[in-house]
Structure formats: structure tokens, C-alpha cells
Amino acid sequence: MHARTKDEWRQLVLSGRRALTPELRTAEDRALVALVTQGIADGSTVCAYVPTALEPGSLDFLDALRRVAGRVLVPVTRYPGPLHWSEFTGADGLADASYGLREPTGPVWEPDEIRSAGTIFVPALAVDRRGVRLGRGAGFYDRSLGLASSDARLITVVRDEELVSELPEDPHDVRMGWALTPGSGLVPLGDR
């Protein structure tokens, strides 16, 4: 048996996500909303993301963070390079952007603004128990996470079956400290 490549993993996970029923997707998103504020300090800065149709989470996820955190920053893509950041102020402050994303329309900060975040929620297709995260392959997060504070909590958000035993890893991959899943909540990864 051969080990799956990153592209094979991507196809497998995306196929599974496309097959989700709307009811299951809604139930998982609600579970994530109930779990997302665990360990978030009142008034802190958090980086998160605006979920696409195939990513776990919802705008309710971001609204829950806003009720606790002082600022919720979400990515603004500028290619090539690390992500820029803008404050999530609610659904009305979002507009369609590149790569099928929705991004805030307000002020945009430079990539190093990620340093202000104590917690960073990172989208993924899958993550393994060692903390190796499988993204979509563009490298935006790998280029961005190196700018984060060394004590920031890096939490990837995946479905329960997307937390796997082992994924292929490249030298530039930044490992996650935790996974947040709808069924298991916050799961420590690696040596934690």
C-alpha cells in the first residue's frame, strides 16, 4: 500500500465535504460555534477566517468570537506572499474577493499584524496527530504563520474524520498545536 500524496488527500477530503448533507453541515457548524470561544481571553485579538462553502465553520463562528475577543482579524489575500489582515465586523462588512473568498471591506493591516493575536484559527482540509496541517496548496498560511507570536495558539478547524494519524509533510509546513472538531472539541496535537 502506498502512502497518499498531498494531492490525493486533498481530493479525498474535498470529495467527502461535497457529499455532506446540509443537515450534517449545519449541525457541525453549530457545534463549532458552541466550542470556538474555549480559552479565548476577553478583549484579546484573535485571527480567524471567513469560511468558504467547503470549510468547517460559519459566520456565526466569527460572531461568537467577536462577543468574547476584542478584535477578530481575518485574512485579506495579496498574491504572492503572506496574508494581510482586516477586522471582521459582521456579515455586512464582507465583499466577494479573489479565490472565491469573502473579505472585509475595512482597513487592511500588513502581514505582521498576526503578531497581535494570542489565538489563530487556521482552515485546513485535514490535520494529523503530530500537528501537520494539509491546506489547499497555495502556501498563504505557511508564509503567514511564521510571523505569528511564538506563544500564539495555532488551532486548525476540521471535521472529526479529517483528524488523521499521519499526513505527508514538507519542510515549510508549520505545525498546529490543536485541532478544533465538532465532535471532540479542542484536541491537543503533537507533544502537548
Side-chain angles (χ1 to χ4, degrees), residues 57-188:
S58 64
L59 293 183
D60 292 339
F61 177 96
L62 293 171
D63 286 333
L65 284 171
R66 280 180 61 215
R67 286 190 288 276
V68 176
R71 271 191 329 162
V72 176
L73 302 178
V74 295
V76 175
T77 52
R78 302 272 198 271
Y79 193 80
L83 296 163
H84 288 67
W85 301 93
S86 186
E87 188 168 358
F88 175 75
T89 58
D92 293 344
L94 297 175
D96 291 340
S98 304
Y99 309 103
L101 302 174
R102 296 177 70 207
E103 296 176 350
T105 56
V108 176
W109 288 283
E110 292 297 316
D112 64 355
E113 189 66 22
I114 195 173
R115 273 195 201 102
S116 67
T119 301
I120 303 167
F121 290 95
V122 183
L125 293 174
V127 67
D128 73 18
R129 298 268 175 199
R130 302 171 300 155
V132 176
R133 173 187 156 270
L134 178 69
R136 293 204 176 233
F140 282 108
Y141 276 94
D142 289 320
R143 287 192 288 275
S144 301
L145 293 172
L147 300 172
S149 170
S150 61
D151 61 350
R153 292 188 320 154
L154 302 181
I155 303 172
T156 194
V157 183
V158 293
R159 301 184 64 243
D160 289 275
E161 54 270 20
E162 296 165 358
L163 176 54
V164 300
S165 60
E166 189 171 350
L167 290 167
E169 182 177 24
D170 289 322
H172 64 268
D173 292 338
V174 176
R175 288 192 181 194
M176 302 290 103
W178 293 266
L180 179 65
T181 74
S184 298
L186 202 56
V187 179

Side-chain angles (χ1 to χ4, degrees), residues 28-42:
E28 288 183 351
D29 288 346
R30 281 191 189 131
L32 289 171
V33 168
L35 297 165
V36 71
T37 58
Q38 292 177 5
I40 302 297
D42 287 352

